[in-house]
Amino acid sequence: MKNGIMMQYFEWNIPADGKFWKKLKDDAAHLQEIGVTSVWLPPACKGTSDKDVGYGIYDLYDLGEFNQKETVRTKYGTKEELIEAIQELHKYQISVYLDVVMNHKAGADYTEKFQVREVDPNDRGKYISDVYEIEGWTGFDFPGRGETYSDFKWHWYHFSGTDFNQANGEKAIYQIMGEGKSWSDGVDGENGNYDYLMFADIDFDHPEVVDEMIKWGVWVAKELNLNGMRLDAIKHINEGFISQFLHAIRQVMGEEFYAVGEYWEKDINALKSYLEGIDYQIDLFDVPLHYNMYQASLKGRDYDMKNLFSDSLMLQHPEQTVTFVDNHDSQWGSSLESQVQDWFKPIAYGIILLMQKGYPCIFYEDYYGIGGKKSPHRKTLEILLDVRRTYAFGEQQNYFDHPNTAGFIRLGDEFHPDSGVAVLLSNGEDGDKTMFVGENRKGEVWHEVTGNIQEEVTIDDSGKGKFTVHGGKLAVWVKKPVESKEQP
Ligand code: CA
C-alpha cells in the first residue's frame, strides 16, 4: 500500500444496464496509467432485483450466475464478466477489493412465523410490546441456485431481527425471540444497541451462521481471486465475528489480504475503540475527516482551517486510515448525504493525495462524473495523481497556522530525483506563505501545476520560498523541470 491510490469504482446512480463489469475491464489500462493501484468494486452479489446497487443483498453465492430475482446478471453484469474484469485489473497490477455486505439479507423466498418483541427504535434494549407471533420474510432456499456452492438454507432463527409483519402489514423493529436470541454485543452503542440496521438482520451469535459466513468469505475470496475487501456496515456486526472472518480468509489468501471497514461514525473515540477491539486487523475510513471537510466546504471563510484535522483518524491511527472526500453514501440524495461542496474538492483531494498519512480513496463520481455529466474535477485529479507519484515523497511539515490560508510541505527523498512539493490552500482571500523546502533547494525555480498561479518562485538562500494561492483555491508547487520551458 506504500503510496497506493484506491478508487471507489462506482457511485449510486450508474446505469443498471449490466454493462459495468465490461466498462471496468476496458478501463483497466487507463486506471493504471493515471496511477490507481487498487479498486473497490461495488457489491457483486445478487440483490433484490437487477437494479439493486447490491446492498439489498439476496444471495451471497450468486455473483450473476443463476436465474434468481428474475435475472441472471446483477446491476453490473454477469459473474463471467466480473471475473474477466478482475483478471484484466490484475494484468495491470491493480488490486481488487470487493464490497462485502454481511449485516443483512433481503428479498426472502418465503415467509415464516416466529415470536418477536417490538423494541423502541431509539433504544433497542427497551421492549415496547409483549411477545407475539409475526409472519416475517426470513426463509431463503435459493430455488434458482439450489445447492451449488452451498446447501445452507436460511430460517428465522438465523436472524436477530426484522422490520415487517406480513400478517398485518405493519412495520416496526421486531427482535426475534427464542433460545439464546438477543442483539449482538460488540456492535455500536448508538440507539442503545445498533445491531439492527435494515431488512432481516443476520444473527452473528448463531454458530451455524458464523460457520456459513466464514465459508462464504473464503469461497468468494478464492473464486474471484480478491486482494481484499471493503466490509460494509461493520458498526452493526459483532466485532468478534469480523475478527474470526478475516483470520480465516488470511489463512487461505495470505496475511497481506487487505480489509477496510465502513464504520460510519463521526466520533473518533468509537473508531479508536473499534480498532482496539479488533486488534488493528483492519483499516477504517476516516469519517471524521470527511465531516470536517464537509463543514469546511459549507462554511467557507468562516471555517478555521486550523481545525481541519481535529479528531481525524489520520492523525490518531495513520497506519489504519483510508482517507476519502466523498462516497456513494455521502453523495447528493443518498442516505448519509454530506457531499463536500465542489469549490472545496480540489483542496480536499490536494490534502488526501499529497499528504504523507493515510491511504487515499478517490470517488468514481469525482473522476468520471454523474449521470453522463462530466466531472469538473477530473483534470485536477489527474494533476494531483501525477504529483503524488512524482513529487509527494519524504517528510511532511505543516503550516496550518492561519484560519484561512494553510499549507504543507513534502521535503522529498533521495529515491525520487527533484521530489518535494509545496501545497497551499485558501478558504478566504488570496494568500501567501513562506515555507521551508530544504537548504539544498536554494536557487531552484518552482512553478504551480494546477494552473492557479502563473508566477514562479525562486527558493532563497535559506531554503525558503514565498508561495501564493488565490482565494478559495488550491495551489501545488514543485520544482520546474530544467529542460523544458513549457508549462505542463
Ligand atoms: Ca446486525
Side-chain angles (χ1 to χ4, degrees), residues 354-387:
L354 303 182
M355 280 193 163
Q356 190 172 19
K357 291 173 178 174
Y359 181 7
C361 181
I362 303 168
F363 182 34
Y364 183 91
E365 178 187 330
D366 290 332
Y367 187 77
Y368 288 103
I370 181 170
K373 227 179 96 199
K374 285 199 163 64
S375 166
H377 308 299
R378 178 169 175 149
K379 185 86 177 67
T380 307
L381 274 170
E382 284 175 351
I383 291 167
L384 295 175
L385 288 168
D386 190 47
V387 171

mmCIF file of all heavy atoms in Angstrom, residues 354-387:
data_model
loop_
_atom_site.group_PDB
_atom_site.id
_atom_site.type_symbol
_atom_site.label_atom_id
_atom_site.label_comp_id
_atom_site.label_asym_id
_atom_site.label_seq_id
_atom_site.Cartn_x
_atom_site.Cartn_y
_atom_site.Cartn_z
ATOM 1 N N LEU A 354 -1.769 14.299 -1.363
ATOM 2 C CA LEU A 354 -0.383 14.752 -1.264
ATOM 3 C C LEU A 354 0.201 14.672 0.142
ATOM 4 O O LEU A 354 1.414 14.753 0.313
ATOM 5 C CB LEU A 354 -0.256 16.177 -1.822
ATOM 6 C CG LEU A 354 -0.738 16.326 -3.278
ATOM 7 C CD1 LEU A 354 -0.542 17.753 -3.768
ATOM 8 C CD2 LEU A 354 -0.037 15.336 -4.212
ATOM 9 N N MET A 355 -0.638 14.476 1.137
ATOM 10 C CA MET A 355 -0.091 14.314 2.489
ATOM 11 C C MET A 355 0.516 12.926 2.659
ATOM 12 O O MET A 355 0.214 11.992 1.930
ATOM 13 C CB MET A 355 -1.188 14.553 3.537
ATOM 14 C CG MET A 355 -1.435 16.028 3.778
ATOM 15 S SD MET A 355 -2.438 16.305 5.249
ATOM 16 C CE MET A 355 -2.085 18.056 5.534
ATOM 17 N N GLN A 356 1.370 12.824 3.674
ATOM 18 C CA GLN A 356 2.110 11.592 3.910
ATOM 19 C C GLN A 356 1.217 10.481 4.475
ATOM 20 O O GLN A 356 1.422 9.318 4.183
ATOM 21 C CB GLN A 356 3.217 11.915 4.919
ATOM 22 C CG GLN A 356 4.228 10.829 5.102
ATOM 23 C CD GLN A 356 5.393 11.311 5.964
ATOM 24 O OE1 GLN A 356 5.282 12.309 6.692
ATOM 25 N NE2 GLN A 356 6.503 10.625 5.885
ATOM 26 N N LYS A 357 0.246 10.870 5.285
ATOM 27 C CA LYS A 357 -0.509 9.864 6.036
ATOM 28 C C LYS A 357 -1.819 9.495 5.363
ATOM 29 O O LYS A 357 -2.454 10.302 4.710
ATOM 30 C CB LYS A 357 -0.776 10.377 7.447
ATOM 31 C CG LYS A 357 0.499 10.464 8.258
ATOM 32 C CD LYS A 357 0.275 11.129 9.591
ATOM 33 C CE LYS A 357 1.570 11.143 10.396
ATOM 34 N NZ LYS A 357 1.415 11.910 11.635
ATOM 35 N N GLY A 358 -2.212 8.241 5.575
ATOM 36 C CA GLY A 358 -3.488 7.760 5.060
ATOM 37 C C GLY A 358 -3.338 7.116 3.693
ATOM 38 O O GLY A 358 -2.375 7.361 2.967
ATOM 39 N N TYR A 359 -4.292 6.237 3.406
ATOM 40 C CA TYR A 359 -4.372 5.529 2.126
ATOM 41 C C TYR A 359 -5.546 6.182 1.395
ATOM 42 O O TYR A 359 -6.697 5.959 1.750
ATOM 43 C CB TYR A 359 -4.623 4.050 2.434
ATOM 44 C CG TYR A 359 -4.718 3.074 1.288
ATOM 45 C CD1 TYR A 359 -4.459 3.422 -0.036
ATOM 46 C CD2 TYR A 359 -5.083 1.752 1.543
ATOM 47 C CE1 TYR A 359 -4.551 2.488 -1.057
ATOM 48 C CE2 TYR A 359 -5.172 0.808 0.527
ATOM 49 C CZ TYR A 359 -4.912 1.184 -0.771
ATOM 50 O OH TYR A 359 -5.009 0.249 -1.770
ATOM 51 N N PRO A 360 -5.272 7.037 0.385
ATOM 52 C CA PRO A 360 -6.363 7.817 -0.194
ATOM 53 C C PRO A 360 -7.255 7.015 -1.136
ATOM 54 O O PRO A 360 -6.783 6.147 -1.862
ATOM 55 C CB PRO A 360 -5.633 8.920 -0.968
ATOM 56 C CG PRO A 360 -4.295 8.376 -1.278
ATOM 57 C CD PRO A 360 -3.961 7.388 -0.186
ATOM 58 N N CYS A 361 -8.540 7.335 -1.104
ATOM 59 C CA CYS A 361 -9.524 6.687 -1.969
ATOM 60 C C CYS A 361 -10.264 7.755 -2.766
ATOM 61 O O CYS A 361 -10.893 8.646 -2.199
ATOM 62 C CB CYS A 361 -10.499 5.883 -1.115
ATOM 63 S SG CYS A 361 -11.747 5.018 -2.088
ATOM 64 N N ILE A 362 -10.165 7.659 -4.085
ATOM 65 C CA ILE A 362 -10.836 8.612 -4.977
ATOM 66 C C ILE A 362 -12.226 8.087 -5.295
ATOM 67 O O ILE A 362 -12.386 6.905 -5.581
ATOM 68 C CB ILE A 362 -10.082 8.716 -6.308
ATOM 69 C CG1 ILE A 362 -8.638 9.113 -6.087
ATOM 70 C CG2 ILE A 362 -10.736 9.704 -7.240
ATOM 71 C CD1 ILE A 362 -7.834 8.938 -7.360
ATOM 72 N N PHE A 363 -13.197 8.963 -5.312
ATOM 73 C CA PHE A 363 -14.583 8.562 -5.596
ATOM 74 C C PHE A 363 -14.859 8.633 -7.104
ATOM 75 O O PHE A 363 -14.580 9.646 -7.740
ATOM 76 C CB PHE A 363 -15.529 9.475 -4.817
ATOM 77 C CG PHE A 363 -16.988 9.144 -4.966
ATOM 78 C CD1 PHE A 363 -17.422 7.837 -5.103
ATOM 79 C CD2 PHE A 363 -17.934 10.164 -4.948
ATOM 80 C CE1 PHE A 363 -18.772 7.534 -5.233
ATOM 81 C CE2 PHE A 363 -19.289 9.880 -5.072
ATOM 82 C CZ PHE A 363 -19.703 8.566 -5.219
ATOM 83 N N TYR A 364 -15.422 7.559 -7.632
ATOM 84 C CA TYR A 364 -15.790 7.432 -9.042
ATOM 85 C C TYR A 364 -16.434 8.709 -9.596
ATOM 86 O O TYR A 364 -16.053 9.217 -10.645
ATOM 87 C CB TYR A 364 -16.755 6.250 -9.179
ATOM 88 C CG TYR A 364 -17.182 5.914 -10.580
ATOM 89 C CD1 TYR A 364 -16.463 5.000 -11.345
ATOM 90 C CD2 TYR A 364 -18.320 6.493 -11.140
ATOM 91 C CE1 TYR A 364 -16.860 4.672 -12.632
ATOM 92 C CE2 TYR A 364 -18.718 6.172 -12.431
ATOM 93 C CZ TYR A 364 -17.987 5.265 -13.169
ATOM 94 O OH TYR A 364 -18.380 4.950 -14.447
ATOM 95 N N GLU A 365 -17.433 9.209 -8.880
ATOM 96 C CA GLU A 365 -18.168 10.392 -9.353
ATOM 97 C C GLU A 365 -17.245 11.598 -9.541
ATOM 98 O O GLU A 365 -17.429 12.390 -10.463
ATOM 99 C CB GLU A 365 -19.274 10.749 -8.361
ATOM 100 C CG GLU A 365 -20.042 11.991 -8.771
ATOM 101 C CD GLU A 365 -21.038 12.470 -7.724
ATOM 102 O OE1 GLU A 365 -21.570 11.647 -6.973
ATOM 103 O OE2 GLU A 365 -21.282 13.692 -7.700
ATOM 104 N N ASP A 366 -16.286 11.745 -8.674
ATOM 105 C CA ASP A 366 -15.399 12.915 -8.749
ATOM 106 C C ASP A 366 -14.464 12.840 -9.955
ATOM 107 O O ASP A 366 -13.964 13.859 -10.421
ATOM 108 C CB ASP A 366 -14.585 13.074 -7.462
ATOM 109 C CG ASP A 366 -15.466 13.489 -6.294
ATOM 110 O OD1 ASP A 366 -16.502 14.136 -6.544
ATOM 111 O OD2 ASP A 366 -15.128 13.169 -5.148
ATOM 112 N N TYR A 367 -14.245 11.633 -10.448
ATOM 113 C CA TYR A 367 -13.388 11.493 -11.626
ATOM 114 C C TYR A 367 -14.203 11.364 -12.909
ATOM 115 O O TYR A 367 -13.925 12.019 -13.904
ATOM 116 C CB TYR A 367 -12.458 10.276 -11.461
ATOM 117 C CG TYR A 367 -11.429 10.174 -12.569
ATOM 118 C CD1 TYR A 367 -10.303 11.002 -12.573
ATOM 119 C CD2 TYR A 367 -11.613 9.301 -13.638
ATOM 120 C CE1 TYR A 367 -9.376 10.946 -13.603
ATOM 121 C CE2 TYR A 367 -10.683 9.239 -14.672
ATOM 122 C CZ TYR A 367 -9.568 10.062 -14.647
ATOM 123 O OH TYR A 367 -8.658 10.009 -15.681
ATOM 124 N N TYR A 368 -15.242 10.520 -12.870
ATOM 125 C CA TYR A 368 -15.999 10.235 -14.096
ATOM 126 C C TYR A 368 -17.280 11.049 -14.248
ATOM 127 O O TYR A 368 -17.901 11.026 -15.296
ATOM 128 C CB TYR A 368 -16.351 8.753 -14.153
ATOM 129 C CG TYR A 368 -15.145 7.884 -14.435
ATOM 130 C CD1 TYR A 368 -14.529 7.170 -13.424
ATOM 131 C CD2 TYR A 368 -14.620 7.806 -15.720
ATOM 132 C CE1 TYR A 368 -13.421 6.387 -13.677
ATOM 133 C CE2 TYR A 368 -13.505 7.023 -15.984
ATOM 134 C CZ TYR A 368 -12.910 6.311 -14.961
ATOM 135 O OH TYR A 368 -11.811 5.541 -15.221
ATOM 136 N N GLY A 369 -17.716 11.709 -13.171
ATOM 137 C CA GLY A 369 -18.952 12.461 -13.236
ATOM 138 C C GLY A 369 -20.145 11.595 -12.902
ATOM 139 O O GLY A 369 -20.020 10.419 -12.598
ATOM 140 N N ILE A 370 -21.323 12.193 -13.008
ATOM 141 C CA ILE A 370 -22.542 11.511 -12.592
ATOM 142 C C ILE A 370 -23.614 11.714 -13.656
ATOM 143 O O ILE A 370 -23.707 12.789 -14.239
ATOM 144 C CB ILE A 370 -22.997 12.040 -11.206
ATOM 145 C CG1 ILE A 370 -24.252 11.320 -10.724
ATOM 146 C CG2 ILE A 370 -23.222 13.527 -11.212
ATOM 147 C CD1 ILE A 370 -24.576 11.636 -9.277
ATOM 148 N N GLY A 371 -24.384 10.662 -13.914
ATOM 149 C CA GLY A 371 -25.494 10.738 -14.864
ATOM 150 C C GLY A 371 -25.098 11.257 -16.236
ATOM 151 O O GLY A 371 -25.806 12.063 -16.831
ATOM 152 N N GLY A 372 -23.941 10.837 -16.729
ATOM 153 C CA GLY A 372 -23.500 11.262 -18.052
ATOM 154 C C GLY A 372 -22.861 12.643 -18.081
ATOM 155 O O GLY A 372 -22.327 13.079 -19.094
ATOM 156 N N LYS A 373 -22.920 13.350 -16.960
ATOM 157 C CA LYS A 373 -22.319 14.695 -16.882
ATOM 158 C C LYS A 373 -20.875 14.568 -16.422
ATOM 159 O O LYS A 373 -20.597 13.948 -15.404
ATOM 160 C CB LYS A 373 -23.113 15.546 -15.873
ATOM 161 C CG LYS A 373 -23.459 16.932 -16.402
ATOM 162 C CD LYS A 373 -24.258 17.723 -15.386
ATOM 163 C CE LYS A 373 -23.338 18.616 -14.575
ATOM 164 N NZ LYS A 373 -23.941 19.071 -13.321
ATOM 165 N N LYS A 374 -19.977 15.159 -17.158
ATOM 166 C CA LYS A 374 -18.560 15.042 -16.823
ATOM 167 C C LYS A 374 -18.222 15.717 -15.500
ATOM 168 O O LYS A 374 -18.827 16.723 -15.131
ATOM 169 C CB LYS A 374 -17.718 15.672 -17.938
ATOM 170 C CG LYS A 374 -17.643 14.818 -19.191
ATOM 171 C CD LYS A 374 -16.458 15.253 -20.053
ATOM 172 C CE LYS A 374 -16.086 14.211 -21.087
ATOM 173 N NZ LYS A 374 -17.130 13.954 -22.089
ATOM 174 N N SER A 375 -17.259 15.172 -14.793
ATOM 175 C CA SER A 375 -16.842 15.783 -13.528
ATOM 176 C C SER A 375 -15.964 16.994 -13.793
ATOM 177 O O SER A 375 -15.046 16.930 -14.610
ATOM 178 C CB SER A 375 -16.056 14.773 -12.697
ATOM 179 O OG SER A 375 -15.396 15.445 -11.642
ATOM 180 N N PRO A 376 -16.217 18.105 -13.075
ATOM 181 C CA PRO A 376 -15.329 19.268 -13.215
ATOM 182 C C PRO A 376 -13.951 19.042 -12.569
ATOM 183 O O PRO A 376 -13.066 19.878 -12.705
ATOM 184 C CB PRO A 376 -16.097 20.383 -12.484
ATOM 185 C CG PRO A 376 -16.970 19.669 -11.501
ATOM 186 C CD PRO A 376 -17.317 18.349 -12.126
ATOM 187 N N HIS A 377 -13.803 17.932 -11.857
ATOM 188 C CA HIS A 377 -12.576 17.717 -11.077
ATOM 189 C C HIS A 377 -11.579 16.775 -11.729
ATOM 190 O O HIS A 377 -10.494 16.558 -11.190
ATOM 191 C CB HIS A 377 -12.940 17.177 -9.697
ATOM 192 C CG HIS A 377 -13.966 18.001 -9.000
ATOM 193 N ND1 HIS A 377 -13.762 19.321 -8.678
ATOM 194 C CD2 HIS A 377 -15.228 17.714 -8.604
ATOM 195 C CE1 HIS A 377 -14.847 19.798 -8.093
ATOM 196 N NE2 HIS A 377 -15.747 18.849 -8.040
ATOM 197 N N ARG A 378 -11.961 16.205 -12.872
ATOM 198 C CA ARG A 378 -11.115 15.168 -13.461
ATOM 199 C C ARG A 378 -9.686 15.641 -13.739
ATOM 200 O O ARG A 378 -8.723 14.983 -13.394
ATOM 201 C CB ARG A 378 -11.773 14.659 -14.746
ATOM 202 C CG ARG A 378 -10.932 13.610 -15.441
ATOM 203 C CD ARG A 378 -11.744 12.942 -16.536
ATOM 204 N NE ARG A 378 -10.937 12.021 -17.298
ATOM 205 C CZ ARG A 378 -11.413 10.911 -17.862
ATOM 206 N NH1 ARG A 378 -12.680 10.610 -17.736
ATOM 207 N NH2 ARG A 378 -10.625 10.130 -18.560
ATOM 208 N N LYS A 379 -9.588 16.819 -14.362
ATOM 209 C CA LYS A 379 -8.263 17.344 -14.722
ATOM 210 C C LYS A 379 -7.409 17.563 -13.466
ATOM 211 O O LYS A 379 -6.244 17.172 -13.411
ATOM 212 C CB LYS A 379 -8.459 18.665 -15.488
ATOM 213 C CG LYS A 379 -7.199 19.274 -16.032
ATOM 214 C CD LYS A 379 -6.877 18.664 -17.412
ATOM 215 C CE LYS A 379 -5.669 19.268 -18.086
ATOM 216 N NZ LYS A 379 -4.388 19.055 -17.493
ATOM 217 N N THR A 380 -8.023 18.197 -12.462
ATOM 218 C CA THR A 380 -7.305 18.442 -11.211
ATOM 219 C C THR A 380 -6.837 17.134 -10.590
ATOM 220 O O THR A 380 -5.698 17.024 -10.126
ATOM 221 C CB THR A 380 -8.221 19.177 -10.204
ATOM 222 O OG1 THR A 380 -8.739 20.328 -10.842
ATOM 223 C CG2 THR A 380 -7.467 19.584 -8.954
ATOM 224 N N LEU A 381 -7.726 16.135 -10.600
ATOM 225 C CA LEU A 381 -7.350 14.840 -10.028
ATOM 226 C C LEU A 381 -6.166 14.240 -10.769
ATOM 227 O O LEU A 381 -5.245 13.702 -10.151
ATOM 228 C CB LEU A 381 -8.543 13.884 -10.074
ATOM 229 C CG LEU A 381 -9.505 13.995 -8.889
ATOM 230 C CD1 LEU A 381 -10.775 13.195 -9.134
ATOM 231 C CD2 LEU A 381 -8.831 13.511 -7.620
ATOM 232 N N GLU A 382 -6.191 14.336 -12.091
ATOM 233 C CA GLU A 382 -5.072 13.768 -12.850
ATOM 234 C C GLU A 382 -3.757 14.472 -12.522
ATOM 235 O O GLU A 382 -2.710 13.830 -12.393
ATOM 236 C CB GLU A 382 -5.375 13.818 -14.356
ATOM 237 C CG GLU A 382 -6.376 12.728 -14.727
ATOM 238 C CD GLU A 382 -6.841 12.764 -16.180
ATOM 239 O OE1 GLU A 382 -6.527 13.747 -16.886
ATOM 240 O OE2 GLU A 382 -7.523 11.809 -16.578
ATOM 241 N N ILE A 383 -3.833 15.783 -12.357
ATOM 242 C CA ILE A 383 -2.615 16.526 -11.987
ATOM 243 C C ILE A 383 -2.134 16.087 -10.607
ATOM 244 O O ILE A 383 -0.950 15.811 -10.404
ATOM 245 C CB ILE A 383 -2.891 18.058 -12.017
ATOM 246 C CG1 ILE A 383 -3.110 18.518 -13.455
ATOM 247 C CG2 ILE A 383 -1.744 18.830 -11.355
ATOM 248 C CD1 ILE A 383 -3.695 19.916 -13.588
ATOM 249 N N LEU A 384 -3.063 15.971 -9.660
ATOM 250 C CA LEU A 384 -2.677 15.597 -8.293
ATOM 251 C C LEU A 384 -2.136 14.170 -8.229
ATOM 252 O O LEU A 384 -1.193 13.880 -7.494
ATOM 253 C CB LEU A 384 -3.869 15.756 -7.344
ATOM 254 C CG LEU A 384 -4.369 17.200 -7.144
ATOM 255 C CD1 LEU A 384 -5.622 17.208 -6.277
ATOM 256 C CD2 LEU A 384 -3.292 18.076 -6.510
ATOM 257 N N LEU A 385 -2.740 13.281 -9.022
ATOM 258 C CA LEU A 385 -2.252 11.894 -9.050
ATOM 259 C C LEU A 385 -0.820 11.855 -9.579
ATOM 260 O O LEU A 385 0.027 11.117 -9.071
ATOM 261 C CB LEU A 385 -3.162 11.028 -9.934
ATOM 262 C CG LEU A 385 -4.537 10.716 -9.341
ATOM 263 C CD1 LEU A 385 -5.460 10.122 -10.412
ATOM 264 C CD2 LEU A 385 -4.421 9.768 -8.171
ATOM 265 N N ASP A 386 -0.575 12.670 -10.567
ATOM 266 C CA ASP A 386 0.767 12.730 -11.135
ATOM 267 C C ASP A 386 1.763 13.308 -10.122
ATOM 268 O O ASP A 386 2.868 12.790 -9.954
ATOM 269 C CB ASP A 386 0.721 13.587 -12.417
ATOM 270 C CG ASP A 386 2.017 13.488 -13.171
ATOM 271 O OD1 ASP A 386 2.510 12.369 -13.362
ATOM 272 O OD2 ASP A 386 2.569 14.551 -13.541
ATOM 273 N N VAL A 387 1.349 14.351 -9.430
ATOM 274 C CA VAL A 387 2.230 14.947 -8.420
ATOM 275 C C VAL A 387 2.490 13.943 -7.291
ATOM 276 O O VAL A 387 3.617 13.821 -6.801
ATOM 277 C CB VAL A 387 1.618 16.256 -7.852
ATOM 278 C CG1 VAL A 387 2.419 16.764 -6.657
ATOM 279 C CG2 VAL A 387 1.543 17.323 -8.932
#
